[in-house]
Amino acid sequence: MRLRGAKALSNAELLAVLIGSGVDGKNVMEVAQEVMVSASGKLTLLAAMPLERLITQKGIGEVRAVIIAAALELGRRALEESALADRRSIHSPETVYEIMIPALKSLDHEECWALFLNRANLLLGREMICSGSMESTLVDTGKILRRAIEKQSSYVILVHNHPSGSPLPGPADIHQTEMVRKALSAVEISLMDHVVIADGSFFSFSEERVGQL
């Protein structure tokens, strides 16, 4: 890695650097390769793997599992910072998707986020509002309202993921969106959109003219 740089290493080789050494007759590369196989060779699935399952991988254990999880989380946060550093005005659900997919890709549960924008549609910040099960999450309308006021937002965009793979909203999604829209409207803040993200696709309430968005 020092001679050739991190980019020259495969995913398994980078993982081997984190693991550090082999165990029980297996060298570190064999351990790393087995971990990658358990995640179907995909870093996104490895990042989404529960810590409890990662700990049970042969040659990993608690300390190494924590190191791997921490490294993957740092990578995810680096992608988030890169997205937040882009100060483009947000005028489309495609931009919302690009900003949020690093945080939501391959999750096995639903998360609801809010993006806070100023009058020029520039991103003031974003925050995870709540986390739910594989099939649902209960939106905390009060928390969204408080954060929007604190940040002096002019617009809010709701974002949540569907682990099922289909971005189509259900009746509960539509109902909760309307509740948030009404709460924000009472303090003259507009709900610009609600974007539902599935891996590789998204659904925009505003674009599809769902409800009063």
Side-chain angles (χ1 to χ4, degrees), residues 18 46-47 49 51 54 64-75:
L18 295 174
L46 181 59
M49 186 180 293
L51 193 62
L54 188 55
R64 290 174 174 176
V66 168
I67 290 171
I68 293 168
L72 291 168
E73 176 63 16
L74 284 171

Side-chain angles (χ1 to χ4, degrees), residues 111 113 196:
E111 290 185 359
W113 289 65
V196 185

Side-chain angles (χ1 to χ4, degrees), residues 73-87 98-100 102-103 113 123 126:
E73 176 63 16
L74 284 171
R76 186 185 68 82
R77 292 185 186 187
L79 284 174
E80 290 183 0
E81 286 184 5
S82 177
L84 283 171
D86 184 353
R87 299 295 288 173
E98 291 170 4
I99 290 172
M100 291 304 305
W113 289 65
L123 187 62
R126 62 178 176 172

